[in-house]
Amino acid sequence: LSAIVLVMVSAVMAEPVSSGAFPGTNAKIAFWSNRDGNNEIYVMDADGSNQTNLTNSNDLYERFPSWSPDGTKIIFTSAGRGFFGGADGNGDIFVMDADGSNQTNLTNDVDSYKYPSWSPDSSKIVFVKSSEIWVMNSDGSNQVQVSPSGGTANKPAWSPDGSKILFSSQRAGWSEWKTEIFVMDADGSNQTQISNHANNDITPSWSPDGSKILFSSPRDGPAGHHDIFVMDTNGSNQTNLTNTIRTCHPCENHSESSPSWSPDGTKITYRRSEAANAADIWVMDADGSNQTKLSDSSKEYEPDWGSVAAPTPLPLQFHQRLHLFHQQQHLYLLLHQLQHLCRQLQRLFLLLQHLFLLLQHLYLRLQHRYLQLQHLFLQLQHLFRQQHSNTSNGYTGATNGY
């Protein structure tokens, strides 16, 4: 009983546990921009305000930002000026804190890397190298190719439960070399094509709850014009969300691509072009309504919406500490009183147990007396019968003698 009381009081004193309900909370949007004549990683608030250059590298070529699931870090690729090349001839994967500090090269070799993306538990990173899908530990170690060779893969992303990887690809033997959307198990097995259209389907993105997939495709517009589509994870129910072809005049240079869900699943950010070689970051509701422009330099690409980082606990003020102390003191007093009550109940239990044993002993003695009386009654009954028999025999003999 004391143990039960201790568990109950401990549960009362414990910190409340968060339900950890998914989806997450919306934070900043990361993207890359060459607004200053140099590709850099930027972040901005969800309404487009506070646009900040995080990398400030001046002579490097940085792209493909991706937030860590907890919102504390960003991975991206960085190379010398020129297309995926430079003095060292490579484009490596880097990681940095959310404020741009502590930039660290994770790969540091002669290969070229694209589209890095975190696993849901932040332990691994999926990326494109040599046109195939690879996975490595979050510190850059243990690189493993997970997609089969023989195609051109892009934009990999883990499913929210970490069991599958989504990507777009042109693959030999699949869809006559069109770019389509594929999904496979996290180890590269069970590769399955989930889109199949005469036009290319690119830049897929999982919904936060894992039930939907965004992608972009030119299927409903003129050549080169992409809209944002959504579909179920098996490829069914494909729906055009942006439908820009119906409202743009002229439409030759209008295109939407690179969609990314907000962590709470209610909004979508994406890249939209309205003129040749010009693109900005937009946002819309998850059903395609309320399309709103967030940036206006016409040189923004590849948005990725981050989650709110877990807050750092603030030190308690004196009055808060005093209040907490009084609460703990009250709980400890309650614990002491409950323990005292437990001891009294235990003593009462022992007394009742002793009384029960006494009553049991008395019952056995009475039962013994009852058996003795029963035996005595049987003896008396036997003697009575004998006496009655003798009396009857004597009466018979006297009658005969007469």
Side-chain angles (χ1 to χ4, degrees):
L1 187 57
S2 296
I4 296 175
V5 171
L6 283 170
V7 170
M8 292 172 63
V9 174
S10 298
V12 172
M13 294 181 65
E15 291 290 330
V17 178
S18 170
S19 63
F22 195 82
T25 303
N26 299 346
K28 292 181 178 292
I29 297 172
F31 59 98
W32 64 273
S33 174
N34 60 358
R35 61 179 66 177
D36 297 325
N38 186 58
N39 288 358
E40 304 282 2
I41 306 300
Y42 285 74
V43 294
M44 62 181 170
D45 293 340
D47 61 1
S49 61
N50 298 317
Q51 297 183 24
T52 305
N53 186 338
L54 295 184
T55 46
N56 290 295
S57 55
N58 296 323
D59 61 349
L60 296 178
Y61 192 87
E62 287 148 342
R63 307 203 303 176
F64 310 126
S66 174
W67 284 99
S68 63
D70 63 2
T72 62
K73 296 183 180 297
I74 298 173
I75 49 176
F76 61 99
T77 62
S78 179
R81 301 213 22 127
F83 193 76
F84 294 117
D88 57 359
N90 71 344
D92 285 304
I93 296 175
F94 281 71
V95 64
M96 63 181 170
D97 293 342
D99 61 0
S101 61
N102 298 317
Q103 297 182 22
T104 304
N105 191 335
L106 296 179
T107 50
N108 199 26
D109 58 32
V110 297
D111 291 307
S112 292
Y113 298 83
K114 295 190 295 182
Y115 299 112
S117 179
W118 299 86
S119 64
D121 63 0
S122 300
S123 67
K124 295 184 180 296
I125 295 170
V126 65
F127 56 93
V128 172
K129 183 176 78 168
S130 302
S131 299
E132 294 296 348
I133 308 298
W134 292 64
V135 170
M136 66 181 177
N137 295 333
S138 58
D139 61 0
S141 63
N142 194 31
Q143 292 191 18
V144 178
Q145 181 179 334
V146 293
S147 68
S149 300
T152 301
N154 280 301
K155 205 64 169 61
W158 251 287
S159 60
D161 64 3
S163 66
K164 296 183 180 297
I165 294 174
L166 180 71
F167 62 102
S168 64
S169 180
Q170 291 181 342
R171 309 204 72 75
W174 296 81
S175 304
E176 299 176 354
W177 288 99
K178 300 188 308 293
T179 299
E180 300 289 355
I181 309 300
F182 291 77
V183 68
M184 62 184 173
D185 293 345
D187 62 1
S189 60
N190 297 319
Q191 183 179 224
T192 304
Q193 181 180 335
I194 58 174
S195 76
N196 188 6
H197 196 270
N199 288 293
N200 294 329
D201 297 328
I202 60 173
T203 62
S205 173
W206 288 100
S207 64
D209 64 0
S211 66
K212 302 285 184 181
I213 293 172
L214 293 171
F215 65 98
S216 58
S217 175
R219 60 180 65 181
D220 289 348
H225 171 86
H226 286 70
D227 276 306
I228 304 298
F229 289 76
V230 66
M231 64 180 171
D232 296 339
T233 55
N234 63 1
S236 62
N237 298 317
Q238 298 181 15
T239 304
N240 191 332
L241 296 179
T242 48
N243 284 303
T244 310
I245 188 63
R246 300 179 183 179
T247 58
C248 62
H249 301 286
C251 297
E252 288 79 6
N253 296 313
H254 280 67
S255 185
E256 289 91 14
S257 63
S258 305
S260 174
W261 296 88
S262 63
D264 68 0
T266 63
K267 294 183 179 297
I268 297 165
T269 184
Y270 57 99
R271 166 189 176 267
R272 177 173 177 174
S273 300
E274 295 183 296
N277 301 316
D280 284 296
I281 307 302
W282 287 62
V283 68
M284 63 181 173
D285 293 343
D287 62 0
S289 61
N290 297 319
Q291 298 178 25
T292 305
K293 190 176 184 179
L294 297 182
S295 67
D296 57 6
S297 75
S298 298
K299 296 180 182 295
E300 273 78 57
Y301 308 89
E302 304 286 344
D304 186 59
W305 209 322
S307 298
V308 172
T312 302
L314 297 175
L316 296 176
Q317 301 296 323
F318 175 75
H319 71 278
Q320 293 174 314
R321 291 179 180 275
L322 184 62
H323 179 67
L324 181 60
F325 172 75
H326 287 158
Q327 284 184 321
Q328 291 176 338
Q329 196 174 37
H330 177 72
L331 288 172
Y332 283 127
L333 179 61
L334 176 62
L335 174 61
H336 178 73
Q337 291 174 340
L338 289 174
Q339 287 178 327
H340 179 68
L341 176 62
C342 285
R343 286 193 291 268
Q344 289 181 322
L345 290 174
Q346 284 176 332
R347 283 197 293 269
L348 177 60
F349 173 75
L350 291 174
L351 288 174
L352 291 173
Q353 188 179 38
H354 181 66
L355 178 60
F356 172 76
L357 291 175
L358 289 175
L359 290 173
Q360 187 179 40
H361 179 68
L362 178 61
Y363 169 75
L364 292 174
R365 292 185 62 183
L366 290 174
Q367 188 179 41
H368 180 67
R369 290 289 184 267
Y370 169 76
L371 292 174
Q372 287 181 326
L373 290 173
Q374 189 179 39
H375 181 68
L376 179 61
F377 173 76
L378 291 174
Q379 286 182 325
L380 290 174
Q381 189 178 41
H382 179 69
L383 290 173
F384 174 77
R385 286 176 178 174
Q386 282 186 333
Q387 185 177 7
H388 178 72
S389 176
N390 291 336
T391 303
S392 297
N393 291 334
Y395 177 75
T396 303
T399 304
N400 293 333
Y402 178 80

